[in-house]
Amino acid sequence: MLGVFRKFFDPARKLERLVSQINDLEAALSPLTNDQLKEKSRQLKSRAGKGDNPDQLLPEAFALVREAAKRTLGQRHFDVQLMGSIVLHQGKIAEMVTGEGKTLAATAPAYLNALTGQGVHVVTVNDYLARRDTVWMGQIYHLLGFAVACLSHETAYIYDPEYQAGQTAGERDEVRDRLGSFQIEASYLRPISRQEAYRADIVYGTNHEFGFDYLRDNLAPSLAEQVQRGFNYAIIDEVDSILIDEARTPLIISAPDAESSGYYKTFSRIVAGLEKNTDYLIDEKLRSVNITQEGIDKVEKRLRIDDLYSLENLRLNHYLQETLKAGSLFQRDKDYVVKDGQIIIVDQFTGRLLPGRRYSAGLHQAIEAKEGVLVQNESRTYAQITIQNYFRLYKKLAGMTGTAQTSAEEFDKVYGLEVISIPTNKPLVRKTMPDVIYKTKAAKYRAIVKEIAHLQKAGWPVLVGTVSIENNEELSLLLGKLGVKHEVLNAKAHEREAAIIAQAGRVGSVTVATNMAGRGVDIILGGNPPDQAEAEKVREQGGLHIIGTERHEARRIDNQLRGRAGRQGDPGSSQFFLSLEDDVLRVFGGERIKRLMESFDIPEDLPISAGLVSKAVEQAQSKIEGINFDARKHLLDYDDVLNKQRLTAYRRRQDLLQKKVNPQVLGMLDLMWMNHLENIEALMDAVRLRAYGQHDPLVEFRREAHLLYQNMLADFDKWVEETGSKLGTAEVREVDVGAEASDVRKLDIKGKVGRNEPCPCGSGRKFKKCHGV
């Protein structure tokens, strides 16, 4: 195994030596009692507190975690899992094939880095996994004397094996219903405050929970109401999903503002009367829409205004732009669903519903108007941060996923993270069959349905992946007409997800699913719990077969679907069925293949399957990935400007909290920052137009954003100076003098010090140039 590993990357020998050192300690740890293991852990923590480098402690720490896992979970870290653990400790991304045990691999670096007492955050993609991993991996940490907690949307929990003992059977059932059933009792999770959760040695939670807690802390009226305690080390599970797929959606705390629903209803009617390609143009590659002069004339006529782009009509221009996007770029049952009179976003990468999440900048209201549901008020932003800049706060960052190499460039350029591929514990025997491509979508679906019926008759379990709810339901209808028994899994049927997945590995089962059945889903051959005789029959048949009905924009998502088959040495196979009408080929590369098929006069129902096809498809996907990378980089370039201002403003705010100033030299700063965010958002819209005047929008944005920020600080200082006597001079003076406030307080000044008066310290300089800086 280690010999195979050398082929993967050069540092293999160093990892091999470390794994050998860990293995050498196993014999000495095995005879120890649990109490003796815990004492070993206490000794390591003491050494870390005295300054021992974590790298020095690594072999002993990893060996302790492996021994604890054997005793509590009955699972022993494979050598390749320990290699992944070392890569995570080094602050890199470990690419581990699906089914190789990433969750267990993360325990060793989490424990090692928690020895310093600064806390470790393990980031998951949803609340369920955060709770599951806290209960499941919590047993390891608890044996070694460490506290482990998790953040959930409703509350926070700590792993406590004693908690269950004090509950009645009814109370335990209620907890299980609320948290979901795990392999281990969910009632081991005891509710605690968020402050207590962050004081635990290791904290599990989603990126949203960690990120929003950061924003809420920087809106807190006192230190006592802040919950986080620093950014030491984070391990991100499914790192490509969190740091790349979600990177274009910033975390925003907002509240309803003035009425704007009427405008969106009006513009929805206006846009419905505009003609595509005449009044507006859609760029499907960039997912953008732009109104033409003909369209502008029509809108101005309907609104009875002279100039849509005049200063007083900028808000109307905003309503128009968002309504155009809602009408032409966002599709029902693909990007969102309408449920119970509400627009609910569908996660494009997982296929799951995102209740409570809303598109920003008025887009959500525009979609509500388009679908004829209640249009809610627009929101006013109180605080925001991008995913990229939140995770850049950590001293050390690491991640793990089954699919990272195709995005290695972005990980390196944006986060400074190196991707290291880890070999499998057992050889991967899954067969990847060549793509087949048809002229039309209808021909493709006929072929898919025929293939599924054939495979089911032969006894194969089949998982069919679709890219949208609409396609999911269309394929289900065709299977039903043919009499093929199957299950449908999409965001509309998420309540039955666990039951459907549990049976997806049985003989002859057919599961038609969106991306919900991709990342993180474990399909057990023979069912779950497995019927061993049936499982063996499935293995002899060839294992789980994957059918992809369309290529996703990102190759990583396709690989996640393939990764449902062939886990831990199991047999399996996968194949994608495509058509020239699929979005990826139609927009990004279908012409070349289309000309080829037409030149040979290939019938509609006859596919082509050749290296040329797969190469063209991958080129199209690579092109899309490049465009999306540019879009995320573009967003980050702008947010980097705001991020520097945010960090400075938050540091200033934290200083005020520590000095316990008047809550009012605090509320004003929050209000001015909120207004600044609105000004920045308006500036971003405005500078885009300057590209037509041969100006670089980013350069313009940097220059004017700096001026806006300086004006905000000047306005705040002026307010402090003018309002000081009303609020109490001592408190205001603390703010004015900044970090050296104690020096001035020692002079026992009775009155307020003007900015242009001599500094009371006796330096001879003006106050504003001395202790008033």
Side-chain angles (χ1 to χ4, degrees):
M1 175 57 69
L2 296 183
V4 173
F5 191 66
R6 287 193 184 94
K7 297 178 183 179
F8 279 76
F9 63 100
D10 291 334
R13 292 181 181 176
K14 181 179 179 182
L15 297 183
E16 290 172 13
R17 286 197 300 270
L18 285 171
V19 171
S20 294
Q21 291 175 35
I22 297 165
N23 290 340
D24 289 344
L25 296 170
E26 190 168 14
L29 293 176
S30 294
L32 300 182
T33 65
N34 286 354
D35 287 340
Q36 288 172 323
L37 278 186
K38 190 171 290 188
E39 178 57 31
K40 284 276 187 185
S41 180
R42 278 194 290 266
Q43 292 170 8
L44 282 185
K45 191 166 186 178
S46 174
R47 287 170 57 189
K50 292 176 181 176
D52 273 17
N53 191 299
D55 291 340
Q56 297 173 291
L57 304 176
L58 188 150
E60 294 171 81
F62 278 31
L64 276 174
V65 170
R66 176 191 261 179
E67 185 62 31
K70 284 161 53 181
R71 298 186 186 195
T72 56
L73 306 180
Q75 297 180 3
R76 179 185 179 275
H77 293 69
F78 301 129
D79 284 0
V80 291
Q81 281 177 304
L82 290 179
M83 292 174 181
S85 301
I86 296 166
V87 168
L88 291 173
H89 166 66
Q90 291 172 342
K92 299 175 183 177
I93 291 175
E95 184 183 62
M96 301 175 68
V97 173
T98 301
E100 290 296 303
K102 295 187 296 292
T103 305
L104 187 62
T107 55
Y111 169 77
L112 171 60
N113 285 270
L115 287 170
T116 62
Q118 298 181 62
V120 170
H121 297 168
V122 183
V123 186
T124 63
V125 292
N126 58 53
D127 278 351
Y128 168 80
L129 290 177
R131 296 190 297 257
R132 184 203 71 178
D133 293 352
T134 302
V135 172
W136 190 11
M137 301 298 119
Q139 300 170 87
I140 298 173
Y141 304 125
H142 186 265
L143 177 60
L144 297 175
F146 273 23
V148 57
C150 69
L151 306 171
S152 188
H153 183 60
E154 321 85 45
T155 185
Y157 302 91
I158 194 163
Y159 174 73
D160 182 359
E162 304 302 320
Y163 180 57
Q164 185 189 26
Q167 294 180 317
T168 66
E171 287 171 334
R172 289 196 294 272
D173 289 341
E174 187 276 328
V175 171
R176 277 194 294 273
D177 290 341
R178 176 161 41 90
L179 300 180
S181 58
F182 311 134
Q183 293 174 318
I184 302 97
E185 290 288 344
S187 46
Y188 288 155
L189 293 179
R190 174 167 57 84
I192 56 173
S193 70
R194 288 181 103 76
Q195 287 96 335
E196 290 177 281
Y198 277 105
R199 285 197 290 269
D201 298 291
I202 297 161
V203 187
Y204 285 83
T206 66
N207 56 305
H208 294 103
E209 293 303 315
F210 287 117
F212 280 122
D213 279 342
Y214 170 73
L215 294 178
R216 282 188 287 263
D217 275 359
N218 285 286
L219 290 170
S222 69
L223 291 173
E225 294 178 64
Q226 293 183 330
V227 298
Q228 292 187 331
R229 63 178 181 122
F231 305 94
N232 174 39
Y233 174 53
I235 300 173
I236 304 177
D237 192 10
E238 306 296 1
V239 66
D240 54 327
S241 174
I242 291 173
L243 292 190
I244 293 181
D245 296 341
E246 297 198 33
R248 288 181 66 177
T249 306
L251 305 174
I252 299 175
I253 291 181
S254 58
D257 194 23
E259 286 283 350
S260 57
S261 58
Y263 283 107
Y264 284 107
K265 292 174 185 175
T266 299
F267 276 91
S268 185
R269 290 192 294 269
I270 292 174
V271 166
L274 299 180
E275 296 181 22
K276 180 181 176 182
N277 297 328
T278 300
D279 298 322
Y280 61 91
L281 304 174
I282 299 174
D283 188 326
E284 291 188 272
K285 292 182 179 180
L286 298 178
R287 275 187 65 82
S288 65
V289 57
N290 293 293
I291 193 163
T292 64
Q293 187 58 52
E294 291 89 341
I296 292 171
D297 293 341
K298 286 184 181 180
V299 172
E300 289 174 343
K301 186 176 180 180
R302 289 287 302 273
L303 293 174
R304 298 179 182 176
I305 59 175
D306 294 327
D307 185 3
L308 180 62
Y309 291 91
S310 65
L311 193 60
E312 62 269 21
N313 291 328
L314 282 180
R315 199 66 187 163
L316 299 181
N317 182 38
H318 164 73
Y319 295 136
L320 172 63
Q321 192 64 31
E322 296 308 312
T323 306
L324 274 173
K325 285 163 60 177
S328 55
L329 300 179
F330 289 79
Q331 300 176 30
R332 183 171 179 167
D333 286 343
K334 181 180 180 183
D335 301 291
Y336 63 88
V337 299
V338 180
K339 186 175 182 181
D340 300 327
Q342 295 184 44
I343 302 298
I344 302 179
I345 298 173
V346 175
D347 188 322
Q348 292 302 292
F349 301 98
T350 66
R352 300 179 189 278
L353 291 182
L354 301 174
R357 295 271 293 276
R358 292 179 64 83
Y359 295 116
S360 60
L363 177 60
H364 210 96
Q365 286 81 358
I367 295 175
E368 289 169 334
K370 166 189 169 183
E371 296 292 349
V373 302
L374 178 66
V375 180
Q376 299 185 26
N377 292 339
E378 276 196 274
S379 297
R380 191 169 192 194
T381 299
Y382 288 170
Q384 71 175 61
I385 191 170
T386 58
I387 294 291
Q388 294 104 316
N389 276 322
Y390 172 73
F391 281 108
R392 283 170 161 183
L393 293 170
Y394 286 87
K395 297 174 187 174
K396 184 164 71 172
L397 191 63
M400 51 190 183
T401 180
T403 48
Q405 284 293 357
T406 55
S407 300
E409 180 187 4
E410 184 165 355
F411 283 125
D412 178 51
K413 287 186 176 179
V414 176
Y415 302 99
L417 290 171
E418 182 183 355
V419 176
I420 304 295
S421 296
I422 307 297
T424 56
N425 181 52
K426 296 179 180 178
L428 185 64
V429 296
R430 182 183 67 232
K431 296 178 182 177
T432 301
M433 301 166 69
D435 299 341
V436 289
I437 186 168
Y438 293 82
K439 272 188 176 181
T440 66
K441 180 179 175 182
K444 176 184 74 172
Y445 275 3
R446 286 194 295 270
I448 290 172
V449 170
K450 184 178 178 181
E451 177 75 356
I452 292 171
H454 166 72
L455 291 169
Q456 185 181 56
K457 190 173 182 180
W460 288 66
V462 181
L463 175 65
V464 187
T466 60
V467 299
S468 69
I469 297 172
E470 180 185 19
N471 293 352
N472 181 267
E473 293 177 340
E474 183 179 352
L475 189 59
S476 173
L477 189 65
L478 292 173
L479 287 170
K481 287 180 179 179
L482 202 64
V484 177
K485 187 179 178 182
H486 65 283
E487 289 281 3
V488 174
L489 178 60
N490 59 40
K492 292 182 177 179
H494 66 94
E495 295 89 353
R496 296 187 57 240
E497 177 181 359
I500 292 171
I501 292 299
Q503 303 304 314
R506 298 183 69 89
V507 171
S509 68
V510 174
T511 309
V512 182
T514 58
N515 292 338
M516 286 180 69
R519 193 181 297 275
V521 172
D522 192 3
I523 296 177
I524 308 297
L525 299 187
N528 190 17
D531 179 313
Q532 294 302 330
E534 189 168 355
E536 189 54 38
K537 185 176 180 181
V538 171
R539 288 190 184 93
E540 291 172 359
Q541 185 71 42
L544 178 68
H545 183 64
I546 306 292
I547 292 180
T549 62
E550 197 169 330
R551 287 284 198 165
H552 198 277
E553 288 186 354
R555 287 169 289 178
R556 294 178 292 103
I557 310 301
D558 295 339
N559 292 337
Q560 287 286 349
L561 178 63
R562 285 194 181 102
R564 300 314 101 199
R567 297 159 70 92
Q568 279 295 325
D570 280 337
S573 54
S574 68
Q575 186 169 37
F576 277 77
F577 285 67
L578 312 176
S579 87
L580 293 175
E581 295 176 347
D582 294 348
D583 287 345
V584 168
L585 284 176
R586 179 177 57 81
V587 178
F588 292 94
E591 284 303 317
R592 183 181 175 191
I593 302 172
K594 189 174 183 179
R595 284 196 299 268
L596 177 71
M597 295 184 79
E598 288 174 349
S599 64
F600 288 99
D601 195 27
I602 298 174
E604 186 177 277
D605 285 312
L606 183 67
I608 58 173
S609 177
L612 172 67
V613 178
S614 297
K615 185 176 180 181
V617 170
E618 292 211 357
Q619 285 176 343
Q621 287 179 303
S622 180
K623 191 184 298 182
I624 301 172
E625 289 167 358
I627 291 171
N628 289 337
F629 177 23
D630 289 342
R632 288 187 292 267
K633 187 69 170 60
H634 179 74
L635 173 70
L636 187 59
D637 287 339
Y638 281 85
D639 192 64
D640 277 345
V641 178
L642 179 60
N643 192 53
K644 293 174 184 175
Q645 299 175 355
R646 175 172 40 239
L647 293 174
T648 304
Y650 283 175
R651 276 197 299 268
R652 186 167 190 172
R653 191 183 192 279
Q654 200 69 10
D655 287 342
L656 299 181
L657 281 178
Q658 289 171 349
K659 293 167 185 170
K660 300 180 181 178
V661 299
N662 190 303
Q664 189 173 345
V665 176
L666 197 62
M668 180 52 67
L669 182 61
D670 289 343
L671 178 62
M672 288 186 173
W673 176 250
M674 184 170 64
N675 291 334
H676 180 67
L677 290 177
E678 290 186 349
N679 292 336
I680 288 291
E681 187 175 335
L683 178 63
M684 288 183 70
D685 288 334
V687 295
R688 292 191 186 103
L689 298 174
R690 299 183 193 178
Y692 296 108
Q694 306 304 310
H695 295 286
D696 185 333
L698 182 58
V699 172
E700 295 279 300
F701 178 76
R702 284 173 177 156
R703 180 176 60 82
E704 298 200 20
H706 176 73
L707 292 175
L708 284 173
Y709 186 61
Q710 293 303 314
N711 289 339
M712 184 202 84
L713 294 180
D715 288 344
F716 179 67
D717 288 339
K718 182 178 179 182
W719 181 86
V720 168
E721 187 172 334
E722 292 175 350
T723 317
S725 59
K726 299 175 184 177
L727 298 181
T729 57
E731 292 165 330
V732 174
R733 190 161 58 248
E734 268 192 294
V735 177
D736 280 351
V737 298
E740 298 181 356
S742 59
D743 295 340
V744 179
R745 279 200 301 274
K746 290 175 184 176
L747 298 172
D748 194 22
I749 305 164
K750 300 297 184 184
K752 181 187 172 195
V753 181
R755 287 172 56 77
N756 291 311
E757 294 177 14
C759 185
C761 74
S763 67
R765 289 175 291 179
K766 289 183 179 181
F767 180 66
K768 66 181 180 183
K769 295 290 188 181
C770 190
H771 282 81
V773 174

